[in-house]
């Protein structure tokens, strides 16, 4: 495994770049972070619609969340891959396809995390804000959401961890991410698939393991702050 | 200043919280609401800034029914301090005060910060301005909460059991602060269980029992 790593580490790290598109671990991280960064505002809007919206808006948001959570991510990947070119009138790349699918998918899961954070805020915080003359929007943006996001931070990191693993599905649409790089290495070596994919698993383990560790530390710190 | 006219409130389960309460708090006066738990003291207090809406009668602030005032404007005129303190947990002491000055008072960022620091100084918390609520003692948190409620210079300050969550040694500091505010002419209504605290701070004591105002007497007489 070490010999494979020492010979092919650059492909695992950045794919064909600079002689081809950026790929490998770098693209995996870029796809995961970009998807979450784009999904988070959407998730906030959905969570606010569910907790603060009129019954009709809350219901619509809930239907969206339930629908997305009932469909596998791979279906979204295929749907975006085949439908987006028809709707947009031009083809879109594998990376953009994967990011779009992840944004739709993750916004639903993230919205549930944020909603739990909003609902965990004691009523007294909102009552205090109301009694001090704050209006609805400042209460939401300055009191409710900052606290909800702070409380949700460990779960958001766990979700980033899951998104990193989900980017491996981009392999089916030939987006140049980490799993795609591993299959390229396997195609070159041909006789050592177990070692190549064990190495791939080790890279995912290191990346996701560090994210889990970060989430754990953040949670401990958060609990300590609350207890003080 | 504040007049309760036949104020009544019934909860959804049919139980009466307030029954035909009549009373008047004059400008600059401090009234303590006393009575057993569940008597309706906090409910009566909350009708002033419409955290509780009355079903019958009306609450009048400076000649105007509070229901006719825009809610955010009413609440800028009437500060409120809760028993549970409820400082915003993610903000430092100075930011707790500055948020209200900026978002409810419409001041600029710099101005709101400056005035927040001034108010923290007035309540003796200038040296802890940057601390999060979790790092402050109960008494310190209550001082910040009072600064936050007073920062928009409200005409009236309502306090719901401001000392009940505090250790006895911290009560004196809050009592001194309220006396100080009263001496400056702030109209206050204080809900309290503690007779000593009520006598030490208030001009008049209102006895509330079963949702009714059953006695209104000068605090001095009660002390005698």
């Amino acid at each position: 495994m070490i010999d494979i790593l020492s010979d092919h580490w650059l492909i695992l790290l950045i794919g064909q770049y600079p002689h081809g598109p950026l790929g490998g671990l770098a693209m995996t991280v870029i796809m995961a972070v970009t998807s979450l960064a784009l999904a988070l505002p959407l998730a906030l809007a959905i969570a606010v619609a569910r907790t603060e919206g009129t019954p009709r808006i809350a219901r619509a948001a809930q239907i969206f969340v339930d629908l997305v959570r009932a469909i596998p991510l791979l279906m979204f990947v295929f749907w975006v891959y085949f439908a987006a070119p028809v709707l947009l009138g031009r083809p879109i790349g594998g990376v953009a396809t994967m990011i779009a699918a992840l944004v739709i998918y993750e916004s639903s899961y993230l919205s549930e995390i944020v909603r739990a954070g909003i609902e965990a805020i004691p009523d007294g915080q909102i009552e205090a804000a109301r009694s001090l003359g704050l209006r609805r929007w400042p209460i939401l943006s300055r009191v409710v959401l900052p606290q909800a996001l702070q409380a949700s931070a460990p779960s958001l990191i766990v979700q980033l961890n899951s998104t990193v693993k989900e980017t491996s599905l981009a392999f089916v649409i030939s987006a140049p991410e980490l799993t795609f790089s591993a299959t390229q290495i396997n195609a070159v070596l041909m006789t050592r698939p177990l070692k190549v994919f064990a190495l791939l698993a080790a890279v995912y383990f290191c990346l996701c393991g560090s994210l889990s560790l970060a989430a754990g530390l953040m949670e401990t710190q958060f609990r300590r702050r609350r207890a003080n | 200043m504040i007049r309760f006219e036949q104020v009544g409130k019934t909860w959804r389960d049919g139980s009466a919280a307030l029954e035909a309460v009549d009373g008047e708090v004059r400008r600059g006066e401090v009234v303590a609401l006393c009575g057993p738990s569940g008597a309706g003291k906090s409910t009566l207090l909350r009708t002033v800034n419409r955290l509780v809406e009355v079903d019958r009668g009306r609450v009048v602030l400076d000649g105007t029914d509070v229901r006719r005032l825009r809610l955010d404007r009413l609440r800028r005129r009437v500060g409120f301090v809760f028993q549970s303190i409820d400082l915003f947990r993610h903000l430092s002491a100075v930011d707790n005060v500055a948020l209200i000055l900026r978002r409810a008072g419409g001041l600029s960022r710099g101005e709101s910060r400056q005035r927040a620091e001034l108010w923290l100084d007035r309540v003796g918390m200038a040296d802890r301005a940057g601390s999060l609520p979790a790092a402050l003692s109960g008494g310190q948190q209550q001082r910040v909460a009072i600064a936050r409620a007073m920062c928009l210079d409200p005409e009236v300050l309502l306090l719901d059991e401001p000392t009940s969550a505090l250790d006895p040694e911290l009560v004196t500091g809050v009592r001194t602060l309220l006396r100080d505010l009263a001496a400056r002419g702030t109209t206050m209504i204080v809900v309290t269980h503690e007779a000593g605290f009520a006598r030490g701070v208030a001009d008049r004591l209102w006895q509330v029992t079963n949702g009714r105002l059953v006695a209104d007497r000068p605090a001095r007489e009660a002390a005698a």
Side-chain angles (χ1 to χ4, degrees):
Chain A
M1 244 163 67
I2 300 293
D3 55 323
I4 298 174
L5 186 62
S6 62
D7 290 344
H8 300 282
W9 65 273
L10 201 58
I11 291 187
L12 277 177
L13 193 65
I14 56 171
Q16 301 292 333
Y17 191 79
H19 308 295
L22 181 68
L25 181 63
M27 183 50 80
T28 289
V29 172
I30 288 172
M31 279 203 293
V33 171
T34 310
S35 309
L36 276 199
L38 295 175
L40 192 58
L42 199 58
L44 286 179
I46 296 167
V48 169
R50 285 195 70 180
T51 52
E52 311 280 322
T54 59
R56 197 170 287 184
I57 291 175
R59 181 84 187 124
Q62 191 188 339
I63 289 172
F64 171 80
V65 171
D66 291 347
L67 196 71
V68 172
R69 282 160 55 112
I71 296 171
L73 172 61
L74 193 58
M75 295 304 110
F76 283 102
V77 176
F78 285 145
W79 189 84
V80 176
Y81 189 69
F82 292 114
V86 176
L87 295 173
L88 297 174
R90 64 185 180 86
I92 62 166
V95 172
T97 298
M98 192 62 203
I99 289 176
L102 280 172
V103 168
I104 299 169
Y105 193 72
E106 291 302 330
S107 64
S108 140
Y109 283 88
L110 291 179
S111 75
E112 287 295 274
I113 293 172
V114 177
R115 186 171 69 96
I118 291 175
E119 285 174 354
I121 293 172
D123 291 342
Q125 292 277 301
I126 294 152
E127 195 174 41
R130 282 172 53 210
S131 74
L132 290 161
L134 289 183
R135 290 197 207 175
R136 203 180 157 121
W137 173 244
I139 291 176
L140 194 62
S141 63
R142 303 286 159 173
V143 178
V144 175
L145 287 181
Q147 292 192 60
L149 285 174
Q150 207 173 52
S152 312
S155 305
L156 292 175
I157 295 210
V158 169
Q159 200 59 32
L160 175 62
N161 188 334
S162 183
T163 311
V164 165
K165 287 180 279 182
E166 284 158 1
T167 57
S168 62
L169 286 178
F171 161 71
V172 299
I173 52 169
S174 302
E177 43 68 65
L178 184 60
T179 306
F180 185 80
S181 293
T183 58
Q184 282 186 316
I185 296 168
N186 186 45
V188 172
L189 299 175
M190 293 186 55
T191 54
R192 291 190 282 173
L194 279 181
K195 285 187 179 172
V196 170
F197 288 107
L199 179 63
L200 176 65
V203 175
Y204 275 117
F205 178 79
C206 290
L207 180 58
C208 296
S210 352
L211 286 172
S212 296
L213 204 65
L217 285 173
M218 201 177 268
E219 193 156 9
T220 312
Q221 205 175 24
F222 183 70
R223 280 194 186 153
R224 206 173 289 158
R225 267 173 76 176
R226 276 284 157 83
N228 279 338
Chain B
M1 179 81 199
I2 302 168
R3 217 169 47 244
F4 297 93
E5 296 178 358
Q6 291 290 300
V7 168
K9 174 74 187 175
T10 304
W11 299 122
R12 276 188 196 161
D13 64 3
S15 59
L18 297 172
E19 284 287 354
V21 175
D22 278 312
E24 185 168 5
V25 182
R26 289 182 283 272
R27 189 175 294 279
E29 197 172 39
V30 181
V31 169
L33 301 182
C34 304
S37 295
K41 309 181 295 292
S42 294
T43 307
L44 183 62
L45 190 76
R46 283 160 192 246
T47 60
V48 180
N49 74 343
R50 289 176 55 198
L51 280 174
V52 169
E53 298 282 3
V54 300
D55 298 331
R56 299 173 295 282
R58 60 183 196 150
V59 180
V60 178
L61 174 67
D62 264 347
T64 311
D65 187 332
V66 292
R67 282 173 299 194
R68 288 177 171 269
L69 296 168
R70 236 177 70 177
L71 200 54
D72 54 330
R73 288 195 187 146
L74 167 68
R75 287 175 179 170
R76 267 177 249 164
R77 292 174 64 185
V78 181
F80 200 106
V81 175
F82 291 86
Q83 174 183 7
S84 51
I85 304 173
D86 287 318
L87 291 180
F88 304 131
R89 299 174 300 181
H90 61 303
L91 298 177
S92 65
V94 69
D95 287 338
N96 258 277
V97 183
L99 174 69
I100 302 306
L101 286 161
R102 185 156 159 70
R103 300 289 159 185
L107 299 189
S108 70
R109 190 186 296 264
E111 257 180 314
S112 55
R113 180 109 193 155
Q114 212 172 3
R115 269 186 65 177
E117 281 166 1
L118 198 71
W119 265 105
L120 288 183
D121 190 37
R122 280 188 197 168
V123 298
M125 289 295 296
D127 56 332
R128 303 302 306 271
S131 303
L132 285 173
L136 301 174
S137 71
Q140 289 172 325
Q141 287 188 38
Q142 196 59 287
R143 283 163 172 270
V144 177
I146 291 170
R148 190 178 65 170
M150 287 299 296
C151 68
L152 292 175
D153 295 320
E155 297 154 46
V156 181
L157 183 62
L158 309 174
L159 302 109
D160 191 358
E161 305 264 15
T163 55
S164 66
L166 306 183
D167 294 333
E169 65 269 24
L170 301 174
V171 173
T172 316
V174 174
R175 184 190 297 178
T176 310
L177 174 61
L178 294 183
R179 262 204 214 119
D180 197 33
L181 291 174
R184 285 186 211 167
T186 310
T187 308
M188 286 193 270
I189 307 180
V190 189
V191 169
T192 184
H193 268 104
E194 298 161 56
F197 180 79
R199 287 194 297 266
V201 172
D203 300 308
R204 283 194 295 148
L205 304 185
W206 286 8
Q207 178 72 31
V208 181
T209 307
N210 293 329
R212 292 175 182 276
L213 179 57
V214 293
D216 173 0
R217 56 203 166 131
R220 260 188 234 154
E221 273 180 26

